[in-house]
Amino acid sequence: MSLQPRAMRDAFLEQVWEAMADDRGIFFVTADFGSPVLDKIRADFPDRFVNVGIAEQNLINISAGLALEGYTVFAYAIAPFITMRCYEQARVSLALLSEVRPMNVNLVGVGAGYSYALSGPTHQCYEDITLMRALPNFRLLSPADHVTAQHLFHHCVGNRGPKYLRFDAQALPVIYERKAPDMEAGFHVHKKGNRMCLVATGYMLHTALDVAERLAEKGEEVGVIDLFNLTDYAVERLASALMPYIGVVTLEEGFRGRGGLDSMLFEFIARRNLQSRVLNLGVEPAYRFELGSRAELHEKVGIGTQSVLNRVRSFSESLPD
Amino acid sequence: MNQSDLQSKASWVWRETLAIHRRAPETRLASSLSSVEIFVALYYGGILRFNPKNPLDTGRDRCIISKGHGSICLYPILADLGYFASEELHRICEVGSFLGGIPDPIIPGYETVNGSLGHGLGVATGVALALKSKGSDKGVFVVAGDGELHEGACWEAIMFASQHRLDNLHLIVDNNRISMLGYTDEIVSHGDLNGRLTAFGWDCGEVDGHDVSAVQAVLARQKKTATGKPKALIARTLKGRGVPGLENAPLSHIINPKPELIDALLETKS
């Protein structure tokens, strides 16, 4: 039986809802943002569910206060707002304070990248990886399907400290059909290749798998890695996984060359003395107002399947034999 | 403590604060002098329950300092109460000391981060919600400046607290009416702050913030009453109180009085 596509937030919130029945130590706070599963949480646990209204700064501060008193907190809002509207609250009351106080606050942001394709650039989110990974003590989690999202719940409960989960807003096809990825590793090797490896996060894993399949049809086997834990992956294992490749391509639904996944990989490869050259693919840094489907928007900004395919092919040609 | 003991404690804290600033000019003197009586009332007036041996004792009332710069006067109080050794007061701002020009939560007795303004009330509101939710009878006290009430996040918390009937939450505004570059009335006036907080659903009192007994009395009364409303106390204070040239000067936040003046004041008022 194959798993149906499901929104990450619903799969994740289902876990929260189940856990809240047994664990009185969980609090759920939202900035007036919902989901079908959230309705169950507010109906069943009204004493531990709070809507702060459209007030993300207060969302973070209230969550910090609850966490100081020992609650495990899930704070929920649209991705650009839960990261950028309240960045200093996240810095001061979560990143900084958790340096000296045990706190478990999990920011659940919905709408990574272009998931809100028709809502325009205020609701799209291309800066969050860069910004949130700049904050020490924060863990940054970026799943590619709802199975991963669901399993991240236990990771959140089991690991103290502030976290940011960047969820896609759409119900994406299931990638981890049979087994969830290894949470300890923080990444998953989907496929091994010969010369090149695509490293993707979030939605872009779907594009990477698509591109790899098309290249395979033409006889070029490329590796594909899903990096879903952007802060706490198994360093040695990732280094070994990347070791064989002369070319690494990073794929993110975020601004290109602005400190996101691509910067992480550039740094990682340099620090580990790996010999790979890197092609970084992401959204060309600009704000665009055109409407279109996600696939159309992706082609326009350089991360659509066709754009990626073309650029990976040229990259491949530029690599030594 | 009786009224005259509170009074003399306040005088002692005022002198200690001057002496600290004399040794560590990086500390903010003017805004620390406006809040002396507030902290004396809280810590010596029987308002707060606290445990210096275990600063994060769950049985404590939470006292969250939001105006960090302006709480240097709390250093001698915490030392006096046994949170840390008094010798530490002689190392303020020195390499290796945990007592900085702006306090940090590594100082025993400080709950949260307070260097960046406008965060304390929101976090305190979350703490108050948590305590209510657990059925705890502990209170949460926040000391904030009027200047930082310009931060919008404060008003998000103010609206939230009344909505959730957090009558275990106490906001004490050190209303010295001066922020860094001048009088708040001339920058962005809070107008009738009492009226505004009342309109937002708070139980609001107002008092001469340098009358330690009066501050103590209002806080004690507010603590006893359970009205379903969060409580605010507007303490009318003077920035740089008691220091000629500093008191109520619009730029007092960034003025450092000359060491000779401090020496003379410590001489005459001791």
Side-chain angles (χ1 to χ4, degrees):
Chain A
M1 192 186 78
S2 66
L3 292 171
Q4 292 304 304
R6 192 176 189 206
M8 293 175 184
R9 61 181 178 190
D10 282 331
F12 187 85
L13 295 186
E14 191 87 41
Q15 299 292 307
V16 177
W17 174 73
E18 277 179 24
M20 283 177 88
D22 298 324
D23 186 350
R24 287 205 46 83
I26 298 177
F27 227 102
F28 196 95
V29 193
T30 176
D32 203 38
F33 183 59
S35 98
V37 178
L38 191 64
D39 294 340
K40 297 204 290 188
I41 294 179
R42 43 178 183 175
D44 294 346
F45 309 108
D47 55 331
R48 283 173 291 134
F49 168 87
V50 169
N51 183 355
V52 300
I54 306 166
E56 288 79 10
Q57 298 177 72
N58 203 36
L59 175 80
I60 304 295
N61 283 341
I62 295 291
S63 299
L66 289 165
L68 283 173
E69 293 300 325
Y71 281 108
T72 294
V73 184
F74 292 90
Y76 182 65
I78 297 180
F81 310 144
I82 203 171
T83 51
M84 289 176 261
R85 182 56 171 253
C86 47
Y87 193 68
E88 211 227 353
Q89 276 75 20
R91 175 176 184 261
V92 167
S93 298
L94 298 180
L96 221 156
L97 194 52
S98 67
E99 190 79 43
V100 289
R101 298 277 185 274
M103 301 170 79
N104 192 351
V105 176
N106 303 279
L107 309 186
V108 182
V110 177
Y114 281 89
S115 2
Y116 288 119
L118 297 176
S119 301
T122 54
H123 284 59
Q124 294 157 1
C125 192
Y126 347 83
E127 306 92 338
D128 56 339
I129 297 179
T130 305
L131 292 169
M132 300 314 283
R133 87 182 189 96
L135 297 175
N137 299 321
F138 255 92
R139 287 164 198 257
L140 184 40
L141 304 157
S142 169
D145 74 353
H146 82 259
V147 176
T148 313
Q150 185 179 325
H151 281 78
L152 284 172
F153 171 76
H154 302 286
H155 184 79
C156 290
V157 172
N159 291 281
R160 238 165 29 191
K163 299 171 212 82
Y164 169 56
L165 298 105
R166 64 188 300 267
F167 283 176
D168 206 278
Q170 307 304 320
L172 302 179
V174 178
I175 288 175
Y176 296 93
E177 187 76 49
R178 281 173 305 186
K179 192 165 174 274
D182 178 359
M183 290 292 134
E184 294 306 310
F187 69 94
H188 185 84
V189 179
H190 283 275
K191 191 171 174 303
K192 289 185 178 166
N194 295 326
R195 305 159 71 234
M196 290 188 297
C197 183
L198 312 180
V199 180
T201 197
Y203 179 92
M204 293 309 290
L205 179 65
H206 299 261
T207 307
L209 290 168
D210 206 5
V211 165
E213 198 178 309
R214 296 207 199 182
L215 288 171
E217 286 164 9
K218 303 283 181 193
E220 173 136 34
E221 295 293 338
V222 299
V224 177
I225 289 177
D226 171 15
L227 188 54
F228 59 88
N229 186 332
L230 297 172
T231 43
D232 296 273
Y233 48 85
V235 173
E236 294 301 329
R237 284 160 72 182
L238 183 63
S240 319
L242 290 176
M243 186 77 81
Y245 300 109
I246 55 170
V248 167
V249 181
T250 65
L251 286 165
E252 65 193 298
E253 215 183 10
F255 285 144
R256 180 186 194 204
R258 294 294 170 103
L261 177 72
D262 55 2
S263 300
M264 283 180 57
L265 266 294
F266 277 124
E267 285 160 23
F268 185 76
I269 285 167
R271 216 169 342 131
R272 303 296 306 193
N273 280 321
L274 301 177
Q275 299 306 309
S276 337
R277 281 181 50 202
V278 179
L279 168 67
N280 60 326
L281 296 182
V283 179
E284 290 304 330
Y287 293 100
R288 292 164 160 263
F289 301 92
E290 300 102 309
L291 294 181
S293 68
R294 195 173 194 176
E296 287 163 343
L297 293 177
H298 273 195
E299 292 300 350
K300 282 184 182 165
V301 300
I303 56 170
T305 302
Q306 196 53 51
S307 317
V308 172
L309 200 53
N310 295 342
R311 291 164 95 165
V312 171
R313 279 195 183 121
S314 329
F315 182 58
S316 171
E317 283 160 19
S318 75
L319 294 172
D321 288 326
Chain B
M1 254 184 205
N2 64 31
Q3 292 196 10
S4 95
D5 288 344
L6 280 176
Q7 202 72 56
S8 41
K9 196 55 104 172
S11 306
W12 172 78
V13 172
W14 183 88
R15 287 195 311 276
E16 284 291 306
T17 306
L18 275 182
I20 286 170
H21 183 75
R22 171 80 170 81
R23 295 193 294 273
E26 300 87 348
T27 53
R28 293 284 169 217
L29 179 61
S31 54
S32 296
L33 293 181
S34 61
S35 57
V36 167
E37 288 78 7
I38 293 169
F39 287 115
V40 169
L42 282 168
Y43 282 87
Y44 298 99
I47 305 298
L48 290 179
R49 288 166 285 188
F50 54 86
N51 178 4
K53 296 283 166 276
N54 179 12
L56 295 176
D57 191 326
T58 50
R60 77 195 186 284
D61 291 316
R62 280 60 165 167
C63 183
I64 289 181
I65 318 303
S66 196
K67 47 167 286 177
H69 322 50
S71 69
I72 301 304
C73 57
L74 185 56
Y75 287 0
I77 294 175
L78 293 176
D80 184 43
L81 294 170
Y83 280 87
F84 49 81
S86 295
E87 294 78 64
E88 294 293 340
L89 298 175
H90 290 267
R91 307 204 304 133
I92 293 172
C93 291
E94 286 180 10
V95 176
S97 170
F98 55 76
L99 299 172
I102 295 175
D104 279 314
I106 55 166
I107 302 174
Y110 275 86
E111 300 265 354
T112 63
V113 184
N114 53 51
S116 175
L117 296 172
H119 294 290
L121 181 58
V123 175
T125 304
V127 171
L129 178 68
L131 293 173
K132 275 266 178 197
S133 148
K134 290 175 176 178
S136 163
D137 69 341
K138 303 300 172 293
V140 184
F141 293 77
V142 188
V143 180
D146 61 310
E148 66 177 303
L149 293 182
H150 285 147
E151 293 283 3
C154 296
W155 295 90
E156 292 181 10
I158 286 166
M159 289 187 280
F160 181 94
S162 55
Q163 175 73 26
H164 289 271
R165 303 172 60 80
L166 298 177
D167 56 9
N168 56 344
L169 178 66
H170 296 252
L171 167 66
I172 301 155
V173 182
D174 177 2
N175 195 27
N176 60 36
R177 303 176 86 101
I178 297 174
S179 58
M180 192 149 91
L181 291 184
Y183 298 111
T184 49
D185 276 339
E186 293 171 7
I187 298 166
V188 174
S189 176
H190 292 302
D192 172 13
L193 184 57
N194 188 329
R196 287 186 185 189
L197 288 168
T198 305
F200 274 76
W202 284 55
D203 177 359
C204 194
E206 200 164 346
V207 74
D208 171 357
H210 295 301
D211 181 341
V212 62
S213 303
V215 174
Q216 191 275 346
V218 179
L219 287 175
R221 193 178 68 236
Q222 285 184 327
K223 195 177 180 189
K224 263 191 280 180
T225 53
T227 57
K229 292 179 174 186
K231 297 146 186 170
L233 174 59
I234 299 171
R236 292 186 304 268
T237 57
L238 290 168
K239 204 161 171 171
R241 181 172 180 259
V243 178
L246 201 64
E247 184 175 292
N248 206 32
L251 292 176
S252 57
H253 191 74
I254 45 179
I255 296 172
N256 280 2
K258 291 203 162 56
E260 306 81 67
L261 172 63
I262 297 179
D263 290 341
L265 285 168
L266 290 172
E267 189 72 24
T268 52
K269 300 215 177 176
S270 61

